[in-house]
Structure formats: C-alpha cells, structure tokens
Amino acid sequence: MKQFINDLLQINDYQAVRLLSILREIQAEFRFISKETIEILAEELNIERTQIISVVEFYSFLHLQPRGQYDILLSDSITDHMQGKPLLMDYLSEQLNVVIGATRKDGLVSLDNTACTGMCDQGPAALINGLAIPRLDKKRIDQIVDLIKQQTPVCDWPEHFFKVADNILKPGLLLNTQIQQGEALKSTFTRGLKPTLEEIDLSGLRGRGGAGFSTAMKWKFCSEENESVRYVICNADEGEPGTFKDRVLLNSYAHQVFEGMTVCAAIIGSKQGFLYLRGEYLHLYHPLQQVLRELRKIGLLGKNSVQQGFEFDIEIRLGAGAYICGEESALIESLEGKPGIPRNRPPYPVTQGYLNKPTVVNNVETFLAAAKIAVIGGQQFADLGTKKSKGNKILSISGDCEKPGIYEYPFGTPVSQILTDCGAEDVLGVQVGGPSGSFISTQEFDRTLSFEDLSTGGSFIIFNKSRDILDLVKNFTHFFADESCGFCTPCRVGTSLLKKQLDKILDGYGSAGDVVALEEICQLLKKYSHCGLGQTAANPILTTLERFPEVYQSRLKEISYEPGFDLDASLETARRLANRDDDAAHLSQVEEGS
Ligand SMILES: Cc1cc2nc3c(=O)[nH]c(=O)nc-3n(C[C@H](O)[C@H](O)[C@H](O)COP(=O)(O)O)c2cc1C
Ligand code: SF4
C-alpha cells in the first residue's frame, strides 16, 4: 500500500490541491481510505489529518469504511423512478442478498442510491465501481448478478453494457457542424484578441450553466484584474437532475469545448485551465485525456503553433459525488482539495478564484458556443433567439415522451413546440430547469424558453397524466436534503425539516396547519440560505403548491378538515408569517424544537 501511495503522490507532485484526485485513486484501489492512509497523506502533503477526514466525509464517493469489491450505486433521479428503478433496486438487493445502503458481510458487494447520474434519456442507470451502465432492466440485472457471483472483474464485463448513447435528435447552429480543429484559435489571433472579445459581446452569449451572466463581461472583468496569473475553469459538474447535455458535448464535441477554453485563455491571459468533470462521468475521463493529448500533439495546447509565445494547457480533475460542487465557488474549493463549501461572494471568482487568482468559470456549453462565435462572428449567433436571450440553447429532454435526448432550439421557442417535437402526449406538466426550476402546467405551454421567461441550464422533464406530481416533489425535496453541504443553518436544518414535513403530509398524517408550516419553512429557506442550493430548494414545493393546491389538500388526514377551511387563506397567513422580522430567530427555535 505504501508503495502505491508514494507513487501516487509523486505523480501528483506532492500537491495538497490534488488531494481529491489522490483520494479518488486510493478509494478505487483499496475500496476505502484507511487510518494508515490518512497518516501517510497528512505527513507527506503536510496537511492536518482532520482536513483529510473532512474531505473524505464530504464526498459521497469516498469512504472511511471498506466498500464491496463490486460497489453498485443506482441513480435515484425522478426519471430513473419513472423508468422502473425502485423495483429493479429491490430485485437486485434480493438477488445479491445485500441490504440497500450496506455492504455484504463477505465484502463482495455494496448497494446504494446515488443522485442523478446524468443518464435520464437512457435510464434506469447504475454506477458499478464508478462506471456508468445505462438502460437497466431485469434481464441486464440478472446478467450483472451472474457476473458478480462469478467474481468476473468489471473490466471483463461485456463492453455493450457500458455503451452510453448521445441521442442528438435536433441539432442546430451549435450541433450541426463542429468547427475544424484550430479554426477558432486561428480566427481569434487573425482578428485580434480585443476584436474577438467584441464579437463575443456582440453575440450576446450568456452563461449556459443557469445564471445567464454575460460571457464577454466575465472574460473582460477577469482580464482587467491586476494579476499575472489567471485561470480558466470549465464547469462539467452537471449535477442538476435531468441535465445530460454536457455529457454529450464532452463525448462528441470535446475538442471544440477545449478550444473555447483556449480562446478564453488567450483573451484573458491565462496559461492553465481545468476541466472539472463530475465523478459520475468517469467513463469520459480517458477519452478526454486522449483528446487533450492529440491537441498537444498538433500544437493547439501546450506551446501553441497558431500563435508564437502563447502557451496554455488543460488538466482534468474529477469530482467525487457532490452536487454542490457545480456551484462555482464550491467547485473552486474542491479543485483546491477541500470540501466543496460555497465561498462568500463577493469577491467573485473573476477577481479571486482558484488559489485566489482571477478565474473564469464557464459551463461546457458556454465554451462550445464561444468557440463557434470566434469562427462565425457574433452577428449570426445574435440573429437567433430573443432580445435578452441570444442564440440557441441545448436541452436535455427526458421523462414521458417518445424521443428523449438532446435538442437544440433558438431561445424564444414555446414549450408546446418542444413537446410536439419530442412526441409528448397527454402531458400533465413539465419541470423546466431541474429541481431548482419550475413545474409548469398545461395552461402555460405557450411560455417560452428564455432568460426572460423560462430559464434553464438544460433540464426539461416531462410528466404525463398517469404520474403523481407529489412523487416528483418528494424526490426533489429529498435530493436537496441529501445534497445540502450543511454549512449554513437555514439550509442544513430547513431542507431536512422540509423533507420531514412533506413526508408527513404525503404519508397521510398531515393537517392543514402542516401545509402552512411547510410553506413557512420554504420561505425561510429561500430568504436566509447562503447559496443557490438552499435558496432554490423549496421551489419544487412552492411551484406545485401554487398550481396544484388540491393535490396537497387531498393528502391531508380526514380529521384535519375544519368546516370552512380555506387552504389559500391559510397559505396567505404563512406568507405573512414568513416575512416577519424575527424569521432567523424563529428558525433557530424550529431547529431547537426539531
Ligand atoms: C447548487 C448549484 C449547482 C450548480 N451546478 C452547475 C453545474 O453543474 N454546471 C454549471 O455549469 N453551472 C452550475 N451552477 C452555476 C455555477 O455556479 C456558475 O454560475 C456557472 O458555472 C457559470 O458558468 P456560465 O456563466 O457559463 O453559466 C450551479 C449553481 C448552483 C447554485
Ligand atoms: S445553502 Fe445549503 S448548500 Fe449552500 S452553503 Fe448553505 S448549507 Fe451549503
């Protein structure tokens, strides 16, 4: 073991910032992070043991106790549920004689749930020793069980088990044709750096990761910082349930994404970039390393052959199962080898990011679009979309429709058009923007995809009338409670209170007063949470309570119906209560009482 760790440390230059990568390798090799390992790492990396333990405890793919030789995680996204995951999970547990959430006594197998693995168009999906297996069914489970019983190493399992399809069903300006390798860089240096930034500005490109900040402004602010070292980070954490477009872009358009990062580096003056790849996309890691090697070979990375004197390289760092690490400041903490706890903002990453140096963090799709704009100029992009939302958006469509997959639309496209294209029928509603977005009902299908109206990082999940909307709300509310990083009280306590309160109502034990209390917790979470996760964690409840109050009412226990009870009036009271000045104190009381 010592030899393995020493070699690993050498490969990682004994850099404490690479702690997460080091721990991932040790976990994969020994199935846990032992006390002895922690001692060695603390000594060699010159960091506290407690710091290492806090990192192991933070990330769901790292463990202080041994996992099974076959570590199986089933994706627990609502789309996996809709595709039959719960029954398959029970069947797998029975066949392998392992309790869900535990490791079998003989150490052969562990079985657990994990948050959405980004395979919503081809679920139910699993991760086996970190590798994705989509399209599970009973037959595939039987085959997996046999392979495990025979103790066949995962690397010898049939290759087609691991085949992940792209499912690009409606390409447009961005997906129709890829740029030639080096084309964006050549255009950038021929046109000039400042004029290229002006083209990005003219294009109106706004960040595709959700918040929609102007890309040109972000790059400009970063370039203006009075520092000699700057970084470029591509956010490929893609943890929002229902989103899988970045997976496809990295599988089939990687060189264009990397070139977008390189154009950004040239403009802001950076020598080092990072791709923060979510741990769930481990299957993409080696192919992406291969793309980087090719780009170095042809002089598009490293010492640049297009422009003498320009040097830039990209390193891939894997995440380890923490949704919060998609939040840019948490991502930076994670890249620095720490738990992914969001920083106070300001300062923003453009002024103090990775290692406190100016840093641009952009989504995968943003870099893809930027490379295209560097080639075609800003106007062609700006001609598409709406006044405030220029260009095309790539959607991940899943749920109840004939053709789930990747669709590209100009901003301003109505929901009804999208539903027709993907073959959705008898629709109850659509969750736009993942759990932190909104649930829209049939009356709203003329609403449009845009920052002005329905904003989304890419998630578009369709539900037909056979579904129970409260299953969706429960899944999302549990997701937030599991993924809260626990740093601030309103979110740590609020998400777990929401989960308890919602479960009570859904299990038929709730009274009208419980619904009022539920909305009160929602408002407190929204108002006092430190970061976007907590601030949006109540959205699944709030957006459905507003549109379908009767669904909640139908679950209340019989005796709770008081004559003349008016749920709307009670909710109004809750809203007033939620605006009280002493909210924070009230939450503390709730916490104490909980
Ligand atoms: C809880 C949370 C999770 C997030 N996850 C992602 C993610 O997976 N990918 C992403 O690009 N942005 C994500 N974001 C947004 C990032 O913080 C950041 O705004 C984005 O990476 C900036 O890139 P853009 O300007 O290209 O959109 C998340 C934000 C929050 C609050
Ligand atoms: S809001 Fe939630 S996820 Fe964000 S910092 Fe607070 S506890 Fe962590």
Side-chain angles (χ1 to χ4, degrees), residues 130-187:
L131 289 171
I133 299 197
R135 294 177 296 275
L136 288 174
D137 55 17
K138 193 161 168 285
K139 186 175 156 213
R140 181 59 41 89
I141 296 275
D142 286 335
Q143 292 165 325
I144 289 173
V145 168
D146 284 346
L147 288 163
I148 291 177
K149 284 185 177 163
Q150 290 155 18
Q151 304 206 20
T152 309
V154 172
C155 57
D156 294 333
W157 289 18
E159 238 174 74
H160 67 273
F161 281 21
F162 302 94
K163 189 150 180 29
V164 177
D166 274 356
N167 293 331
I168 300 173
L169 299 177
K170 193 180 180 304
L173 178 74
L174 295 170
L175 298 176
N176 262 332
T177 47
Q178 294 205 49
I179 61 163
Q180 299 289 315
Q181 289 194 342
E183 208 183 350
L185 271 181
K186 269 186 210 133
S187 306

Side-chain angles (χ1 to χ4, degrees), residues 206-213 240 245 363 366 393 451 455-458:
R206 294 171 64 173
R208 299 314 200 218
F213 192 78
E240 190 91 91
K245 48 138 191 131
N363 175 255
T366 312
K393 176 81 192 93
F451 291 108
S455 168
T456 170

Side-chain angles (χ1 to χ4, degrees), residues 33 89 119 208 243 265 335 518:
I33 314 294
M89 179 64 133
M119 302 284 157
R208 299 314 200 218
T243 318
L335 268 183
L518 185 74

Side-chain angles (χ1 to χ4, degrees), residues 206-213 215 218 235-240 246 323-324 326-329 345 361-364 366 531-533:
R206 294 171 64 173
R208 299 314 200 218
F213 192 78
T215 304
K218 192 181 272 190
N235 186 344
D237 198 52
E238 194 162 63
E240 190 91 91
D246 293 344
Y323 164 64
I324 189 59
E327 195 282 335
E328 57 188 9
S329 67
R345 300 182 329 156
V361 183
N362 274 132
N363 175 255
V364 176
T366 312
C531 83
L533 187 151

Side-chain angles (χ1 to χ4, degrees), residues 23 73 79 103 108 130 167 177-178 287 294 335 339 373 419 423 490 505 507 515 542:
L23 290 170
L73 298 173
T79 54
T103 300
L108 183 69
N167 293 331
T177 47
Q178 294 205 49
E294 278 164 21
L335 268 183
I373 293 161
L419 291 171
I505 294 166
D507 291 343
V515 180
L542 290 174

Side-chain angles (χ1 to χ4, degrees), residues 58 324 327 340-343 480 483-493 495 525 528-535:
F58 187 84
I324 189 59
E327 195 282 335
I341 294 172
R343 294 177 176 175
F480 283 121
E483 295 295 333
S484 164
C485 82
F487 168 73
C488 66
T489 308
C491 173
R492 186 183 65 248
V493 178
T495 52
L525 249 173
Y528 293 110
S529 291
H530 173 67
C531 83
L533 187 151
Q535 286 154 12

